[in-house]
Amino acid sequence: MKKNFLFIVFIFFCCLDSIAQVASVQTTATFITKIPFIQLNGGIVVVRSTIDNLKDTLNFILDTGSGGISLDSATVDELYLTKVSSDRTIRGIAGIKSVAFTNNHSLNFTGLKVDSLNFHINNYDLLSSVYGVRIDGIIGYSFLSRYIVVINYDRQELEIYSPGIFIYPKGGYMMKPIFSSLVLSVFQVEDARSIMSRFIFDTGAGLCFLFNENFLNDSSFLKNKKKKFITQAEGFGGKKEMELTVIKSISVGPYKFRKVPVFIFKDAFNVTSYPQSCGLIGNDLLKRFNVVLNYPERTIFLKPNNRFSENFDYSYTGLGIYLVDDTIKVIDIIKDSPGDIAGFKRDDILIGIDNHFTNNIQTFKTALQNAGARLKVFIIRNQQPVTLYLSVKNILRN
């Protein structure tokens, strides 16, 4: 979960309501290759690849919440790729728009070339600014549907297999979700009462769980007096205000997580497809498992990994920080939040926290996850050094 401010990578074509089922393959799955990845805040997985015969290495987010595959518009221009207009649209948390395509390309990994890919084109400037890493594209259904993909968070690598009979690790939990261009699975959530409902399985969302506000209103699931904090998410189309709170528990098959931080989303563009699904489960929770994505056989297998018992993040600052022109800036401040009370202003440049100085936005975001801490923050404002003291809110204590 990108704490306090997060980016939800959740993109799909409005016109794609279903995908034809993939026939079951009876041959034995064959190992193809291993692909190393890096993890960003919220557990987001980034892999590197080249496209066609070009030498530039590109960064892609692995995203089960994407109904296709995409490239950043600036990357398309820099690589001089041909664009083709279309009448297709994509929906995001803050809008709907038509998209162009660049067609018939290949992705190249060590030991694997994936041909005949049609990329829709999107602008990922905001996404790159949020994570401090240039994001050139998103790998979704168009890639995942062709292979068995094992996400090993312990070793930070993907294992790619051909479709076929696959030997799963001992233990763990086998899910049999609904597959279309996205993956819908049933989870048990509990607060005022316990409910079993469908949620989108979304590795591109840097959070634990997100609820569609309509679901909460219709189900009376959440306790009426539950304390909520105003925060913000960034996604396709821009920024969106949300609420942050903690619920009693979430069960993933036989595995139960207590006191889980969740976001509540007023879904104006129905990206969560309510009532077909009631929200989504994101990678800040999913990263606690090693995951086998077997789209050809329409199954997902989860096995707890070394991060299974890792504490959730209950921090709240109300600050939106971004990498802008190679500096880390405060761009958004929620009114009456800890960041506002501490005296932060828009365009403050962050240079250090508690005598640790860096220009790595991931390091800053990790430091701001220290719920309950009082941090000494060094900034530059109007070309002058300023020191502020930030008391990070612990939402679990409210």
Side-chain angles (χ1 to χ4, degrees):
M1 177 175 64
K2 181 186 179 295
K3 319 308 174 188
N4 306 322
F5 286 70
L6 58 131
F7 199 103
I8 300 173
V9 183
F10 182 85
I11 299 170
F12 63 101
F13 297 120
C14 294
C15 58
L16 294 182
D17 294 324
S18 63
I19 301 294
Q21 292 193 3
V22 180
S24 179
V25 180
Q26 296 305 313
T27 56
T28 300
T30 303
F31 173 75
I32 299 174
T33 191
K34 292 181 180 179
I35 304 170
F37 64 77
I38 62 171
Q39 273 191 275
L40 306 178
N41 283 86
I44 300 300
V45 170
V46 174
V47 297
R48 307 193 76 193
S49 174
T50 60
I51 187 169
D52 299 336
N53 296 318
L54 303 173
K55 295 182 179 179
D56 302 73
T57 301
L58 309 179
N59 294 323
F60 290 88
I61 290 177
L62 187 75
D63 183 14
T64 57
S66 170
I69 193 166
S70 62
L71 278 170
D72 176 58
S73 54
T75 301
V76 170
D77 290 340
E78 290 169 11
L79 298 180
Y80 299 101
L81 302 179
T82 302
K83 303 176 191 176
V84 179
S85 60
S86 79
D87 59 359
R88 293 188 176 183
T89 57
I90 57 176
R91 281 184 283 175
I93 66 169
I96 301 174
K97 75 169 186 177
S98 299
V99 292
F101 279 76
T102 181
N103 295 326
N104 198 28
H105 298 288
S106 62
L107 277 181
N108 307 299
F109 305 95
T110 300
L112 176 65
K113 181 177 181 179
V114 187
D115 290 314
S116 305
L117 292 170
N118 298 329
F119 293 82
H120 70 266
I121 301 169
N122 210 343
N123 186 324
Y124 294 132
D125 285 348
L126 181 59
L127 182 56
S128 297
S129 180
V130 166
Y131 288 121
V133 175
R134 172 156 180 173
I135 301 302
D136 295 290
I138 292 173
I139 294 175
Y141 182 88
S142 300
F143 172 83
L144 296 169
S145 61
R146 302 186 186 193
Y147 304 100
I148 299 171
V149 179
V150 179
I151 309 176
N152 191 315
Y153 291 98
D154 290 330
R155 296 200 297 264
Q156 291 199 324
E157 64 184 16
L158 304 180
E159 299 171 12
I160 311 298
Y161 294 81
S162 65
I165 299 172
F166 184 80
I167 306 301
Y168 294 90
K170 293 182 179 179
Y173 170 60
M174 180 70 76
M175 299 169 54
K176 296 186 177 181
I178 297 172
F179 279 79
S180 60
S181 57
L182 302 177
V183 182
L184 303 181
S185 190
V186 174
F187 300 96
Q188 180 176 324
V189 295
E190 183 178 5
D191 198 66
R193 62 194 186 98
S194 180
I195 296 177
M196 298 283 289
S197 195
R198 287 191 300 267
F199 296 86
I200 296 166
F201 190 98
D202 190 359
T203 62
L207 47 73
C208 289
F209 235 82
L210 179 145
F211 291 107
N212 185 307
E213 185 182 66
N214 291 331
F215 162 68
L216 298 182
N217 293 337
D218 292 344
S219 67
S220 300
F221 157 74
L222 202 64
K223 293 178 182 177
N224 291 332
K225 295 183 179 180
K226 180 76 67 175
K227 176 68 174 179
K228 302 182 187 72
F229 299 86
I230 302 299
T231 186
Q232 181 174 277
E234 302 92 351
F236 167 71
K239 302 174 184 179
K240 182 75 173 180
E241 188 175 279
M242 295 191 182
E243 293 179 315
L244 172 64
T245 191
V246 177
I247 66 169
K248 185 176 180 179
S249 71
I250 292 172
S251 295
V252 179
Y255 309 110
K256 191 169 189 175
F257 299 93
R258 301 181 187 278
K259 298 179 180 178
V260 181
V262 300
F263 288 82
I264 301 168
F265 175 36
K266 191 170 184 177
D267 193 355
F269 300 97
N270 200 25
V271 289
T272 55
S273 298
Y274 182 77
Q276 183 181 15
S277 72
C278 299
L280 61 85
I281 181 172
N283 229 33
D284 207 33
L285 194 149
L286 295 174
K287 71 182 181 183
R288 300 158 198 274
F289 300 92
N290 289 335
V291 181
V292 181
L293 301 172
N294 193 338
Y295 278 50
E297 290 292 335
R298 311 179 78 76
T299 60
I300 294 178
F301 180 82
L302 305 176
K303 184 172 182 178
N305 61 26
N306 293 333
R307 305 180 73 171
F308 183 76
S309 300
E310 188 176 274
N311 291 332
F312 290 112
D313 171 35
Y314 300 108
S315 64
Y316 176 69
T317 66
L319 294 176
I321 63 173
Y322 304 83
L323 186 67
V324 181
D325 298 328
D326 294 323
T327 60
I328 301 170
K329 288 187 176 182
V330 176
I331 301 299
D332 299 297
I333 307 151
I334 298 294
K335 182 175 172 43
D336 297 326
S337 68
D340 186 29
I341 294 169
F344 284 92
K345 297 184 181 300
R346 181 181 171 87
D347 291 329
D348 284 347
I349 299 173
L350 275 65
I351 58 174
I353 295 180
D354 287 346
N355 297 319
H356 297 290
F357 294 85
T358 181
N359 197 38
N360 186 321
I361 195 170
Q362 296 289 314
T363 300
F364 276 114
K365 289 180 178 180
T366 299
L368 295 175
Q369 292 171 12
N370 192 2
R374 181 171 169 81
L375 304 176
K376 186 178 182 181
V377 185
F378 301 92
I379 65 169
I380 299 295
R381 180 183 294 166
N382 299 325
Q383 300 182 333
Q384 297 296 318
V386 176
T387 302
L388 299 175
Y389 293 89
L390 173 65
S391 295
V392 182
K393 191 82 171 177
N394 187 340
I395 65 171
L396 190 61
R397 297 175 183 170
N398 292 275

